Amino acid sequence: KFSDQEERLSGSEREEDEDDAEAALKKEVGRIRALTEQKLRRFQSVESGANNVVFIRTQGIEPEDLVHHILKDMHATKKKKTRVILRMLPVSGTCKAFMEDMKKYTETFFEPWFKAPNKGTFQIVYKARNNSHMSREEVIKELAGIVGSLNPENKVDLNNPQYTIVVEIIKSVCCLSVVRDYVLFRKYNLQEVVKSKEDAQQNPSTLKEEQNSKVLKPETAEEEKSSSEIKEENN
């Protein structure tokens, strides 16, 4: 509200005050905008649209470097740091989950890793949730063709590739990333990466069958003889 003194100001004085008010308003807007930017969280949960899938948006952080650092630490220390998270996958780019959109987007997205003179061995991992109109075989074929067109020296390696292209489709959104050490870090599985090689290779069900077979097998010729005698008596 204006005070009595302001009401008595001349026209020229009012114009000067209006100019000052406009400058003050701009300054205030700038201050509010700066505070809002400061309040943006480094990690913000975003609704993914799929059950059991949590999407975390980051500010000022490279998702690939962050997730690789976490998995590298867990792989080295073998310390289990989560009970409920199964896999942690970085998302470096997104586009609409339609073949034409994906082809157009990945032609540029893949360049830092696969465009000449850059090259490397690769594999493509595909997963779709709440989406039935995309074909896994078609997506892998088209994306592999794009990688090959960027540099003919890029080769497919399904055993131990340098790079793994992760394609995660959630409803109508395609999430993309190119990750390292996918095989070493057990497909970016936080539960498996902390296990030793012996634990991972040993199959509990197989071990149980071996133990059961050992119990059932006669260990000596004498035991074998006694068991045949019992059978004759039963007959």
Side-chain angles (χ1 to χ4, degrees):
K1 294 181 179 179
F2 291 107
S3 65
D4 294 339
Q5 184 180 0
E6 288 173 328
E7 289 290 346
R8 291 193 296 268
L9 290 174
S10 64
S12 61
E13 289 175 330
R14 283 192 180 181
E15 287 178 3
E16 290 177 3
D17 281 354
E18 286 175 2
D19 292 339
D20 293 340
E22 185 177 354
L25 181 61
K26 286 182 178 180
K27 185 178 180 181
E28 181 66 14
V29 170
R31 187 181 68 83
I32 293 172
R33 187 175 294 168
L35 288 173
T36 303
E37 290 175 354
Q38 289 175 5
K39 288 180 180 178
L40 288 175
R41 298 180 181 181
R42 295 178 70 196
F43 303 101
Q44 179 68 49
S45 178
V46 179
E47 183 62 37
S48 68
N51 292 333
N52 303 319
V53 178
V54 178
F55 191 98
I56 305 297
R57 183 178 60 198
T58 62
Q59 290 286 341
I61 296 172
E62 288 295 333
E64 294 160 11
D65 295 338
L66 173 65
V67 175
H68 190 272
H69 175 80
I70 292 171
L71 285 158
K72 185 178 179 180
D73 175 66
M74 294 180 69
H75 181 264
T77 61
K78 299 299 179 186
K79 289 183 179 179
K80 190 174 181 180
K81 299 184 178 182
T82 174
R83 293 186 299 108
V84 296
I85 301 176
L86 181 62
R87 299 175 75 206
M88 182 179 284
L89 296 172
V91 176
S92 301
T94 59
C95 63
K96 292 181 180 179
F98 296 94
M99 200 64 253
E100 289 303 316
D101 294 273
M102 292 171 63
K103 287 166 66 175
K104 185 177 179 180
Y105 182 77
T106 53
E107 285 174 356
T108 305
F109 178 77
F110 288 153
E111 287 183 357
W113 299 276
F114 302 113
K115 186 176 181 179
N118 298 327
K119 62 180 180 178
T121 58
F122 71 97
Q123 67 171 344
I124 300 175
V125 177
Y126 176 91
K127 174 78 175 178
R129 295 179 175 85
N130 300 353
N131 181 296
S132 58
H133 73 269
M134 298 297 295
S135 167
R136 177 180 180 275
E137 290 74 17
E138 183 184 3
V139 170
I140 292 176
K141 180 181 177 181
E142 293 291 346
L143 296 189
I146 292 171
V147 174
S149 66
L150 291 173
N151 188 343
E153 294 187 26
N154 294 319
K155 302 297 181 184
V156 174
D157 184 349
L158 301 180
N159 296 318
N160 190 26
Q162 290 175 263
Y163 302 109
T164 296
I165 299 170
V166 180
V167 183
E168 290 275 331
I169 294 179
I170 304 173
K171 299 180 78 173
S172 61
V173 179
C174 174
C175 302
L176 292 161
S177 59
V178 179
V179 301
R180 296 166 290 146
D181 300 321
Y182 189 77
V183 175
L184 177 65
F185 294 158
R186 313 286 173 83
K187 299 180 179 180
Y188 278 37
N189 188 311
L190 272 64
Q191 306 300 322
E192 295 293 327
V193 75
V194 296
K195 295 180 180 179
S196 63
K197 288 185 178 180
E198 292 76 14
D199 294 336
Q201 291 174 353
Q202 191 164 359
N203 188 331
S205 59
T206 305
L207 179 61
K208 190 173 182 180
E209 289 175 2
E210 290 176 358
Q211 291 173 341
N212 290 339
S213 64
K214 286 181 180 178
V215 172
L216 294 173
K217 286 180 182 176
E219 294 184 355
T220 63
E222 191 174 325
E223 287 177 356
E224 189 171 4
K225 182 180 178 182
S226 62
S227 63
S228 61
E229 289 174 354
I230 292 171
K231 188 183 268 188
E232 287 178 6
E233 288 177 6
N234 289 337
N235 290 335

